[in-house]
Amino acid sequence: MFDAIKAAKPHRNSRACHKQDNSRDSIPEHWKLHAEFSNQFHLRKQTASIFISFSTVDSCRSIAGNAFRTTVKIKSYSLAIPQKGKPYRQNMKEADLEKQYAQFPEIKRSEVQKFVDWIHVQPHISAHFSEAEALHFFYACRYSMEVAKQVLDINLTARTHLDEFFVNLDCERTEIRKAMKTVSVVPLPGATPEGYRVIIGKLDDLNASNFNYADCMKLYCMIFDYWMYEDGIQPGHVIVIDLKGCSLGHVARIGLLQMKKFLFYLQEAAAIRLIGFHFINIVPFMDKIMALMNPFMKKELTNILYLHNDINEFYKFVPLEMLPKDYGGPLEEASVAKEIYYKKMLDDRKQMLEFETRHQVNEKLRPGKPKNASDLFGIEGNFKKLDID
């Protein structure tokens, strides 16, 4: 959502600093769940010790000056294995509002409440849309009420008409189950020194015939939505795409219109402050992938797009300490970590379906003329798949 991105703080290259809360209570929910999952699903007789890393940046130095240093404090705690037959976690839980307002004191809750009041008098928007959900838009839009209203409506309208990515969010559906086998989508525990949250997507099944771009992106968006719902507003988000194992066959299965729709949503409607969009393990045919993306990317997105030949360059943006073993870090492999969120969504299938309904509009009740997909994306007939030489 680039009305927010325009004013976003610079990424790690400019060494923007964000002071982190290192208290035990500030451990992100998804990190606690990672620890719980490790205990329950690993075949260990003893209680595991889960090491939690906290990053604190007390001062910054320019790249030209002394080397940038990050003080990392390590704490540890043990979690008992849940009793047999009991669930390993509670149901989908919305981030605590009081903690979010305390973390971002510059946000005036009275203004957010005015935004919520406006939402609740819109006949085409769900009456169950919560203050915490509204807060995501207000924060992403840099506290501009009018921009937040516009982006919220675009977001909910896109979710209503973007069937490929936001409709039928039932984890039991065959196509979602298949996507779960095809890709790993892993929100990383912790944050960068600047406070940014990171999510990594990668292929698990390298057989291109099993790859369906729309279904995999639907799963990606479901994971992202769940993550944000429980994690609350954050200083920024970083998206990482790992291209290891990607072939021309995979690229050929991506439609131009699908790419246009996803990038439209990311740039115009996503309620996040997108700080970085990284590709790692890039492939020789990267030009083919960029040919798909370039027609639909704004300057603001190209400015935060990074292609990494060298994983060491990537570490300048995402510290090694918060990465899975797949990328040289100390955390569990992505294949293990992904099961946390996949199981969470399966356990909370009903809540995800309620989330879907709450984030759509009723066009019959919209004031003025109802909208459709062509109002957002134009005529679809002329789009074809990318030609691969």
Side-chain angles (χ1 to χ4, degrees), residues 169-173 344-354:
L169 305 183
D170 186 347
C171 300
E172 296 292 353
R173 292 178 67 90
K344 284 171 64 174
M345 290 198 306
L346 288 165
D347 287 347
D348 294 338
R349 172 175 171 265
K350 180 180 178 181
Q351 286 88 341
M352 285 299 294
L353 291 172
E354 291 171 351

Side-chain angles (χ1 to χ4, degrees), residues 90-142:
Q90 295 179 343
N91 287 336
M92 186 175 179
K93 186 178 179 181
E94 194 168 43
D96 186 276
L97 262 176
E98 300 300 331
K99 288 184 179 180
Q100 293 181 78
Y101 283 118
Q103 184 182 1
F104 297 91
E106 67 274 19
I107 300 175
K108 295 181 180 179
R109 191 167 188 174
S110 59
E111 290 299 301
V112 177
Q113 191 56 57
K114 291 178 184 177
F115 181 40
V116 174
D117 292 341
W118 175 85
I119 292 172
H120 288 166
V121 297
Q122 303 306 306
H124 61 305
I125 298 178
S126 170
H128 300 292
F129 203 86
S130 71
E131 179 181 348
E133 290 170 319
L135 180 60
H136 279 282
F137 289 89
F138 190 77
Y139 177 73
C141 296
R142 301 278 169 182

Side-chain angles (χ1 to χ4, degrees), residues 124-304:
H124 61 305
I125 298 178
S126 170
H128 300 292
F129 203 86
S130 71
E131 179 181 348
E133 290 170 319
L135 180 60
H136 279 282
F137 289 89
F138 190 77
Y139 177 73
C141 296
R142 301 278 169 182
Y143 324 130
S144 169
M145 184 79 70
E146 291 307 311
V147 175
K149 290 177 181 179
Q150 295 171 22
V151 173
L152 173 65
D153 191 72
I154 293 172
N155 179 286
L156 301 185
T157 304
R159 285 174 174 272
T160 304
H161 299 295
L162 250 175
D163 294 5
E164 301 100 314
F165 303 140
F166 297 109
V167 177
N168 293 324
L169 305 183
D170 186 347
C171 300
E172 296 292 353
R173 292 178 67 90
T174 302
E175 61 267 28
I176 300 299
R177 285 287 201 166
K178 186 175 181 180
M180 288 179 173
K181 295 179 180 179
T182 304
V183 295
S184 288
V185 182
V186 182
L188 297 183
T192 70
E194 300 87 353
Y196 306 147
R197 299 287 198 244
V198 182
I199 186 169
I200 295 182
K202 65 185 287 290
L203 287 169
D204 271 353
D205 182 349
L206 304 186
N207 186 343
S209 64
N210 293 329
F211 176 72
N212 182 296
Y213 174 77
D215 292 342
C216 290
M217 293 311 301
K218 178 181 285 190
L219 175 62
Y220 190 97
C221 292
M222 289 171 70
I223 294 288
F224 211 110
D225 286 341
Y226 198 121
W227 180 38
M228 289 181 62
Y229 185 83
E230 292 200 327
D231 206 33
I233 58 174
Q234 300 296 335
H237 285 84
V238 176
I239 295 175
V240 182
I241 305 297
D242 182 357
L243 294 177
K244 186 176 182 179
C246 180
S247 68
L248 284 170
H250 291 96
V251 180
R253 296 175 70 86
I254 301 174
L256 277 174
L257 183 59
Q258 292 174 338
M259 181 63 73
K260 176 185 179 180
K261 289 179 176 180
F262 178 73
L263 290 178
F264 170 88
Y265 178 82
L266 183 64
Q267 296 174 98
E268 305 293 342
I272 60 173
R273 296 186 181 185
L274 185 59
I275 302 299
F277 194 4
H278 298 258
F279 285 91
I280 59 176
N281 292 317
I282 63 173
V283 288
F285 48 88
M286 194 67 206
D287 59 320
K288 304 293 185 183
I289 297 175
M290 295 311 301
L292 273 172
M293 298 176 62
N294 280 331
F296 314 118
M297 288 197 300
K298 293 185 173 181
K299 181 181 178 181
E300 292 90 345
L301 183 56
T302 60
N303 287 343
I304 59 170

